[in-house]
Every structure is written in C-alpha cells, then in structure tokens.
Amino acid sequence: MRKWLYRLFIELTNHSLSSKLLASFAKSRLSGLLISSYAKIYHINQDEMEKSLKNYKTLQQLFVRRLKAGVRPVDADEHTVVSPVDAVIEDMGTIRENCEMIVKGKPYSIAEMLGSVEAAQPYVNGFFFILYLSPSHYHRIHSPISGVIEKQWALGRKSYPVNRLGLKYGRRPLEKNYRLITEVTAGGKRLAIVKIGAMFVNSIELTHEGEQLVKGEEMAYFSFGSTVVLLFERGSFAPDPRIVAPMPIKVGERLGYWCEAHER
C-alpha cells in the first residue's frame, strides 16, 4: 500500500506543466525572496561559494553556483578516479552477469539505463557507484578521470525522485528518468558517466567543449538535486578500501584506482 500511494502521488505531481511552472519560478526574481531561508534550511556552506549570498538573484542561480578556486582539491595521483560531484554514495558494487546492479536491494538493468544490451555489455562484471545529490549539494559535475569522450547520448523523458524513497518505491528511476550519458575512454578501457535528471526539473546542462577531459575539470551541471551513476568496465577499476556506502564525498576526493589495459 505504501509503495502504491507513493507512486500515485508522484504520478499526479510529476506532470510537464508542474515541471515547467517550478522551473519558471526557480528562474524568476520572485524566487529570490526564498534564497536566504533556502540557504538556512539546507545548511549551504556560504564560505565555499564563489559569490556572497546577496549576489544570487534567483534560486536557479544559487542551485548552479560555482565554488571558490581551491576549495575542492583534486587527488593528484594520476592513477586515481575521483568523485565527479559533492554527493552521498548511496550504493556501490559489482555489475552482474545479467547486466543488473543491485541498489538498495532492488535490481536495476544497466541495459535499460544505457539504452541497449550492446551498450551495457562492456560493463558486465564491472563496478558501479550511485552518487546522490540533494538540494543542499553543489550541483556542478566534474570529470572523474582524464580521457577522451567517445560517445554522448540522452534517453528518457520524465524524471522521478532519485532519493532513498525513490530508489525504494519508485518505478526504476535510474533506468527510466531523463538521463545524459557520457562514455569516456582512457588507457584502453571505458567509463560511463550517467547523469540522471531529478523530479520536476529535467535540466542537465553541458559546459565542457571538445572531446578531451581532464580529471577534476567541470563538464556539466544539474539545475536541481539529482544522481550520477558511474559504470566501470570489467577490470578497469579497483575501489579504495576506505569507501563504503552510504557515505558523503566531495568533488576531487578519491573513489579508487584506474587500471589501464596493460596493467592487468
């Protein structure tokens, strides 16, 4: 019953009209009246922000704020993979033979997530991370490795919640939500960076130009809290032993180690 009521409420509210209204309000000067209370409620760390709170005129501007230079140092080891976002690591683990990953005890198909069995096949027996961004988090996305963008594509339309309730009761939001997928290669192996839209605000904006990515460099931003899924090809990644789920992590902090093809 709880699952049914949750899904009914989400379906009734997650309409294109309500999404457009919310997005329009967040970009309006009227939303600026809520900035101070928003910052207090969500405990926004104002010392890290590029600008003072009074310089943001709309909630949208606050959502996509940049940080001061140097407040997110990037792990300097050339073999490390770093977090692309400020987030909570909600889950992590091995991708199964049947192209599934288990998130909060629930199976998710990476073939559905990526759009085909063919696209998912390289990641079978690989590793995954689920990184959830709440409304309080910094919303810009940075590259977890240095490499070359081989392919980029979008899937899905609507977006359902990707928080803990959404993962538990929702209709497979990691597979169905609007998502923008960037596939990066380095050292003969590939990594999929799956940026998943949040409920109501389906906006994922790319900021990086060109095909070459540098570890820690900004590549995109969310207009609201959302989720990033990292999918590693089999044998390309070894997680850092200190990383467990759930736990908070920040941009540039080490997730583990990249294993190039010749190293295995």
Side-chain angles (χ1 to χ4, degrees), residues 213-233:
L213 287 173
V214 176
K215 184 170 71 173
E217 182 180 64
E218 183 185 310
M219 57 187 299
Y221 66 80
F222 290 118
S223 289
F224 204 63
S226 195
T227 289
V228 171
V229 178
L230 298 180
L231 303 174
F232 295 90
E233 193 170 359

Side-chain angles (χ1 to χ4, degrees), residues 21-29 31-32 57-61 63 201 223-224:
L21 288 173
L22 182 59
S24 295
F25 174 74
K27 294 176 182 178
S28 72
R29 290 298 180 117
S31 71
K57 305 304 180 184
T58 69
L59 280 176
Q60 167 74 3
Q61 291 178 9
F63 292 158
V201 185
S223 289
F224 204 63

